[in-house]
Amino acid sequence: MAALIDAIDVKRKMFVEFENSPFCCLESDISTPTARGGQTLVRLKMRNMLTRAVFDKTFKASDKFKEPDLQTVEASYLYSDGDGSYFLDQESFETLSLNETIVGDALDLLVEGVIIQIDKYNGNPIGLQLPQLVELTVTYTEPGVRGDTAGGSVTKAAKVETGIEIRVPMFIKEGEKVRVYTETREFAGRA
């Protein structure tokens, strides 16, 4: 049986199960009453891991939560089609299928073979975490022309193999591999 966690012990970034769904605690605030006999209350700001909805709820300090059956596995990106995106679990070598709502705009940064983290709840994939940096090949960019640095702008637009456009320094040419921050989608350097 899963361990029970008191509401007062729930801290930021902890995972708990509430109403048969996994939640991640974003904030925890404990309010202790000044009157005798008053109950200690815990206000939790939590994100539902399945729907991504965020809500605030107040619990008694003695309320109990189950520990969710969450697991994070490494997987490599294989391909995407009309039915979803497919990943290869690096431990069990099974193919995991994630639908478009779970993957979201992460496809803009995924190329074949990239290792990501997949979150599973009760054995089913519910989300993914991209690495901090990915390497992408520049497929199109205008050649840098001497003197284009007027006005302080020393970057130009470049299209990468996944189809997104990023800003790169003037010296980057077509065919070069660049590193891109997955969170901000900004140029991080040559690969």
Side-chain angles (χ1 to χ4, degrees):
M1 183 172 146
L4 293 177
I5 305 165
D6 287 333
I8 200 161
D9 294 328
V10 175
K11 304 287 181 243
R12 190 170 177 270
K13 293 190 175 181
M14 273 181 77
F15 295 100
V16 295
E17 189 171 306
F18 176 66
E19 295 176 346
N20 296 321
S21 291
F23 284 85
C24 177
C25 177
L26 303 175
E27 290 176 21
S28 173
D29 184 42
I30 299 170
S31 57
T32 309
T34 53
R36 265 195 276 170
Q39 288 187 334
T40 300
L41 299 175
V42 181
R43 188 181 68 67
L44 299 177
K45 184 174 186 176
M46 305 185 337
R47 169 174 277 131
N48 185 317
M49 301 288 290
L50 302 176
T51 64
R52 297 285 185 231
V54 175
F55 72 94
D56 282 314
K57 190 156 175 73
T58 303
F59 299 93
K60 294 180 202 161
S62 60
D63 285 347
K64 305 238 185 267
F65 295 105
K66 282 199 305 189
E67 211 173 294
D69 179 18
L70 279 176
Q71 178 186 16
T72 301
V73 296
E74 279 194 344
S76 63
Y77 175 66
L78 297 173
Y79 66 95
S80 294
D81 61 18
D83 297 329
S85 299
Y86 301 91
F87 300 86
L88 181 68
D89 185 319
Q90 296 296 292
E91 285 182 25
S92 68
F93 298 108
E94 70 176 297
T95 302
L96 304 170
S97 174
L98 279 80
N99 63 32
E100 196 177 311
T101 56
I102 294 175
V103 176
D105 62 355
L107 277 181
D108 294 345
L109 299 164
L110 290 176
V111 290
E112 189 177 327
V114 168
I115 302 290
I116 62 159
Q117 306 280 322
I118 293 184
D119 298 321
K120 290 178 160 186
Y121 175 63
N122 291 337
N124 299 317
I126 60 166
L128 63 87
Q129 301 166 37
L130 292 170
Q132 185 178 359
L133 293 166
V134 290
E135 288 185 8
L136 301 170
T137 304
V138 174
T139 56
Y140 176 78
T141 187
E142 295 287 332
V145 179
R146 223 178 148 92
D148 276 355
T149 58
S153 175
V154 290
T155 63
K156 60 183 178 178
K159 190 169 240 158
V160 293
E161 61 189 301
T162 59
I164 64 167
E165 202 169 272
I166 61 170
R167 302 293 300 173
V168 297
M170 293 303 244
F171 58 82
I172 299 293
K173 299 177 185 72
E174 282 183 30
E176 279 192 74
K177 279 194 172 286
V178 293
R179 293 188 352 252
V180 179
Y181 289 110
T182 55
E183 200 169 312
T184 59
R185 297 176 180 223
E186 292 176 353
F187 174 80
R190 282 182 164 150

